[in-house]
Amino acid sequence: MSQLDAKIPQGPLESKWSKYKANQKLVNPANKRRLDVIVVGTGLAGSSAAASLAEMGFHVYNFCIQDSPRRAHSIAAQGGINAAKNYQNDGDSVYRLFYDTIKGGDYRAREANVYRLAEVSNSIIDQCVAQGVPFAREYGGTLANRSFGGAQVSRTFYSRGITGQQLLLGAYSALSRQVGLGKVELFTRHEMVELVMIDGRARGIIVRDLVSGKLKRFSAHAVVIASGGYGNTFFLSSNAMECNGSAAWQCYKKGAYFGNPCMAQIHPTCIPQHGDQQSKLTLMSESLRNDGRIWVPKKIEDAEAIRAGKLRPTQIKEEDRDYYLERRYPAFGNLVPRDVASRAAKERCDAGYGVGTGQAVYLDFAEPIQRLGKDVVTERYGNLFQMYEKITADNPYETPMMIFPAIHYTMGGLWVDYELMTTIPGLFAIGEANFSDHGANRLGASALMQGLADGYFILPYTIQNYLSDQIQVPRFSTDLPEFAAAEKEVMDKINKLMNIKGKQTVDEIHKKLGQIMWEYVGMGRDEAGLKKAIELLADIKKEFWTDVRIPGQAIDLNIELEKALRLADFIEIGELMAHDALDRAESCGGHFRLEHQTPEGEALRHDDLFAYVSCWAYQGENKAPVMYKEPLDYEFIERTQRNYKS
């Protein structure tokens, strides 16, 4: 498929979604009971989709790798979820949320998708309140809001610093109800390892029972991938260690296009790396930038003294502190988007003003504590302060926190059209697993919004348009040769891995992969580095397939085998990210090419050359992928250079 049809409805921006809903095909209740849908993943997108589809009457198979849907990585989201309710009467609107999102993504997302996201955002809050999600409230009982990066209004709804947990519990409750009613068959500790296609359509999956090690077959009329992103390609990230891109990657290798793989978000407020033995990084919520002020010493000798342990940050006088975000971006200050804040921190550290190991800046609450009182700060951020102290043994009420950027979220993913269907008929992708709504950079508190929008309000409509043509298709037997061939392919791969019997552990090779990715495909990229990365990644791939050692048995509980299967995919994902980053000779959002920046060091886009979604198609083992382009035609807003200074 070289001609990509995004299926965007015609007409005014604000009526595209309502027009689509008015004209889509439906499935009547009796026919819904005859149709099966597989949903892979139980995070916010997966659990909300599975619950909604089952409530509508479809029979749903739902899979997750955790021992409970409640342990999906969505639970780690801290700060909040955006919606254009305008409770603060500060000028917010659906259009402004749309505009902020598309601007924050550096104009590399579809207008129609982003407007729909903003449009349904208010329904998400209503739905979650009805479920009993305990959003923070004002004294009078209305829901409270706070600000997040990239916006000048307060539109972020929150539950202290555990918003993701509370939203996931709401979706999990809805899912559990359907499990209890027998409409959802839930399979925990099961990982999708292959997609099964029959006559060019997605018709099932092969899963590995992570407890017994056995392979199992499942068939359905449609498959939905809601398995999250691929940030753990970098090894160290803010993602949970089990987060992986394997389900999406199997779909890519079966013909689904992969959109904008190079666009990975760097989050500015992670706790800095403090050793070589870490397995992950810990995020501090972006909401802290709402009150906290970010600075480094103004004098390089002060920074050196702090790094040497001769000076404490509290000894630096106010006039000797450089609040560099407030200085560079007076209109947004500490609330600039994540990509801007991350690059500014790196610039200061590269210039020698970093603290700690030199790879950190301060996030200081001395001023808000003095202004608001310690009790107010504790009420807003107390659990985050407690978490920071437990990890660093430093009291953030008395000493500024140290933070540094880290890999956090991937905006790239499986290419989907307006209906959230991939280039494989019957295969859908939602939430972080697709590429669709965030462009080159995701604004804070928008991941939860997209996951729930896709699962509760968009997929349940669009999937019917596909399934309405499937009502006369009988359920498939898993004894069909396509299932047997897919299972054999997986078993051959597992046996190959088990028989390598090399000397290196999976983690040792994964760390090497992460170092290459961070060095050459990380915050700053250039042509020479990306070409070198492609060479080094080929070496890592060869090293993995000749020298990895996996103890234990294949047909058994074997965590090392689980990790090896995922690492094989991470290496290939890294290669595709580097290819995409090399092709995109411009800077936009999370993709910053050092050769393409303004004199002030800001991202320099080339709209005349790169206003498209890069859609990569798999060509086979050891063959270069082919890239197709989906042009991003902007009908309703004008692309401008992003400006957070005035």
Side-chain angles (χ1 to χ4, degrees):
M1 180 189 291
S2 56
Q3 295 295 321
L4 288 160
D5 181 5
K7 299 179 185 172
I8 299 172
Q10 298 296 314
L13 187 61
E14 60 274 13
S15 63
K16 287 181 184 293
W17 181 229
S18 56
K19 182 179 178 182
Y20 175 89
K21 289 190 290 184
N23 292 283
Q24 65 163 132
K25 297 176 183 175
L26 298 175
V27 181
N28 80 42
N31 286 331
K32 285 174 183 167
R33 290 193 291 272
R34 299 164 55 188
L35 295 171
D36 300 333
V37 180
I38 286 172
V39 178
V40 179
T42 59
L44 287 176
S47 57
S48 59
S52 299
L53 294 172
E55 184 72 41
M56 292 163 65
F58 296 106
H59 179 243
V60 178
Y61 297 109
N62 195 194
F63 300 86
C64 68
I65 57 177
Q66 299 86 3
D67 52 7
S68 165
R70 293 172 59 179
R71 294 175 66 83
H73 182 58
S74 298
I75 204 169
Q78 298 166 342
I81 177 170
N82 286 336
K85 287 284 193 183
N86 194 29
Y87 284 167
Q88 312 298 317
N89 200 25
D90 55 3
D92 202 6
S93 65
V94 167
Y95 184 86
R96 189 173 290 276
L97 174 54
F98 152 75
Y99 181 76
D100 286 346
T101 304
I102 213 154
K103 173 188 172 187
D106 237 339
Y107 306 94
R108 291 293 177 261
R110 286 191 200 121
E111 285 179 312
N113 282 56
V114 179
Y115 192 89
R116 178 178 64 183
L117 176 67
E119 193 176 351
V120 305
S121 66
N122 292 339
S123 299
I124 297 171
I125 303 303
D126 297 340
Q127 168 99 353
C128 293
V129 168
Q131 289 174 339
V133 172
F135 286 120
R137 290 177 183 269
E138 303 288 359
Y139 176 77
T142 55
L143 299 184
N145 286 160
R146 59 187 174 196
S147 305
F148 255 51
Q152 290 177 305
V153 296
S154 293
R155 62 162 68 105
T156 305
F157 295 78
Y158 64 98
S159 296
R160 295 193 72 185
I162 53 171
T163 312
Q165 181 192 64
Q166 296 304 318
L167 293 174
L168 188 61
L169 287 174
Y172 172 69
S173 299
L175 175 63
S176 296
R177 178 173 181 273
Q178 298 303 322
V179 173
L181 292 171
K183 295 182 177 178
V184 173
E185 291 186 55
L186 178 64
F187 297 88
T188 61
R189 301 303 309 276
H190 283 68
E191 181 163 19
M192 173 182 162
V193 287
E194 188 58 284
L195 176 72
V196 180
M197 293 177 60
I198 299 176
D199 296 332
R201 293 174 185 261
R203 292 303 193 190
I205 62 173
I206 305 295
V207 299
R208 183 171 181 271
D209 183 329
L210 299 180
V211 177
S212 69
K214 294 178 180 176
L215 299 181
K216 300 178 180 176
R217 309 172 184 182
F218 291 86
S219 67
H221 294 86
V223 176
V224 179
I225 304 298
S227 52
Y230 47 91
N232 273 344
T233 303
F234 290 75
F235 188 70
L236 285 180
S237 82
S238 66
N239 291 279
M241 290 180 65
E242 284 197 323
C243 291
N244 66 85
S246 287
W249 196 246
Q250 305 317 318
C251 298
Y252 165 72
K253 296 179 84 168
K254 282 296 176 76
Y257 288 4
F258 211 100
N260 291 338
C262 76
M263 292 175 183
Q265 180 168 78
I266 314 287
H267 196 293
T269 59
C270 280
I271 296 177
Q273 183 180 355
H274 59 269
D276 297 330
Q277 302 303 313
Q278 276 180 269
S279 55
K280 73 179 298 300
L281 298 172
T282 303
L283 173 70
M284 299 303 293
S285 169
E286 184 178 357
S287 65
L288 294 169
R289 288 199 281 148
N290 215 17
D291 285 307
R293 302 181 68 193
I294 296 173
W295 63 275
V296 292
K298 197 176 286 183
K299 302 175 183 174
I300 202 159
E301 55 268 29
D302 285 348
E304 291 170 348
I306 288 175
R307 292 199 293 269
K310 298 176 182 176
L311 201 61
R312 291 184 55 76
T314 49
Q315 294 174 291
I316 304 293
K317 296 177 182 176
E318 186 67 19
E319 60 268 26
D320 291 330
R321 301 180 178 192
D322 178 16
Y323 296 95
Y324 57 89
L325 290 177
E326 299 172 37
R327 169 173 56 80
R328 290 180 59 174
Y329 309 100
F332 282 70
N334 295 295
L335 289 176
V336 290
R338 292 173 175 175
D339 61 324
V340 176
S342 296
R343 283 196 292 276
K346 182 176 185 293
E347 186 277 329
R348 284 293 79 192
C349 291
D350 289 348
Y353 294 91
V355 297
T357 61
Q359 299 295 303
V361 299
Y362 287 127
L363 176 60
D364 196 340
F365 276 81
E367 188 274 335
I369 288 174
Q370 187 176 27
R371 172 169 49 88
L372 301 169
K374 185 177 176 181
D375 289 346
V376 173
V377 171
T378 301
E379 185 180 345
R380 291 179 182 177
Y381 313 109
N383 61 321
L384 299 172
F385 278 45
Q386 187 181 41
M387 182 175 74
Y388 180 87
E389 186 170 9
K390 283 182 179 295
I391 293 172
T392 66
D394 208 4
N395 184 347
Y397 290 100
E398 298 174 356
T399 309
M401 297 181 187
M402 284 195 290
I403 56 171
F404 194 68
I407 289 290
H408 179 58
Y409 188 93
T410 46
M411 284 74 71
L414 292 175
W415 183 90
V416 292
D417 58 24
Y418 190 71
E419 297 185 319
L420 305 181
M421 189 159 75
T422 70
T423 48
I424 295 177
L427 178 68
F428 295 77
I430 60 176
E432 192 181 356
N434 74 32
F435 87 102
S436 67
D437 288 358
H438 305 301
N441 178 54
R442 178 178 66 82
L443 293 184
S446 288
L448 308 183
M449 180 171 63
Q450 192 210 342
L452 292 179
D454 286 358
Y456 280 137
F457 298 110
I458 299 173
L459 180 79
Y461 283 98
T462 61
I463 199 170
Q464 291 189 78
N465 213 33
Y466 172 79
L467 290 174
S468 63
D469 291 334
Q470 301 294 304
I471 56 177
Q472 292 185 318
V473 177
R475 289 189 162 95
F476 293 91
S477 167
T478 55
D479 292 330
L480 289 171
E482 288 86 352
F483 282 89
E487 183 176 316
K488 182 179 183 303
E489 195 174 329
V490 175
M491 205 61 237
D492 289 347
K493 184 177 179 181
I494 290 174
N495 288 334
K496 185 177 179 182
L497 282 169
M498 297 301 295
N499 289 327
I500 294 173
K501 300 185 186 304
K503 297 178 181 177
Q504 298 187 69
T505 66
V506 177
D507 281 351
E508 285 174 338
I509 299 176
H510 199 167
K511 284 183 181 179
K512 292 179 183 177
L513 170 67
Q515 289 165 357
I516 294 169
M517 295 300 294
W518 184 250
E519 178 70 22
Y520 301 108
V521 199
M523 291 180 67
R525 309 159 176 181
D526 62 22
E527 182 178 348
L530 289 165
K531 287 179 176 175
K532 185 170 183 178
I534 291 171
E535 293 176 6
L536 293 173
L537 289 168
D539 294 340
I540 283 286
K541 187 174 184 178
K542 185 177 179 182
E543 194 174 323
F544 172 79
W545 284 103
T546 56
D547 199 33
V548 72
R549 181 172 184 80
I550 305 169
Q553 305 298 319
I555 309 300
D556 200 353
L557 190 155
N558 191 332
I559 294 172
E560 287 301 301
L561 176 57
E562 292 172 31
K563 291 195 294 187
L565 286 165
R566 295 166 193 165
L567 179 55
D569 297 331
F570 278 139
I571 293 171
E572 295 179 353
I573 292 171
E575 289 181 315
L576 190 64
M577 291 178 72
H579 276 290
D580 190 38
L582 181 61
D583 172 79
R584 191 169 283 276
E586 65 164 350
S587 292
C588 56
H591 169 64
F592 192 76
R593 283 284 293 266
L594 299 173
E595 314 98 306
H596 302 276
Q597 52 184 306
T598 66
E600 295 80 25
E602 307 297 340
L604 181 60
R605 296 194 320 271
H606 300 303
D607 293 337
D608 54 333
L609 298 172
F610 296 99
Y612 59 75
V613 179
S614 54
C615 311
W616 294 89
Y618 183 68
Q619 300 298 305
E621 187 73 20
N622 297 320
K623 294 182 180 177
V626 172
M627 194 259 280
Y628 300 102
K629 300 175 182 177
E630 181 205 336
L632 291 171
D633 298 321
Y634 275 47
E635 298 179 67
F636 303 98
I637 60 173
E638 181 184 355
R639 293 187 181 93
T640 59
Q641 181 69 32
R642 279 202 289 165
N643 176 18
Y644 297 99
K645 297 181 179 179
S646 59

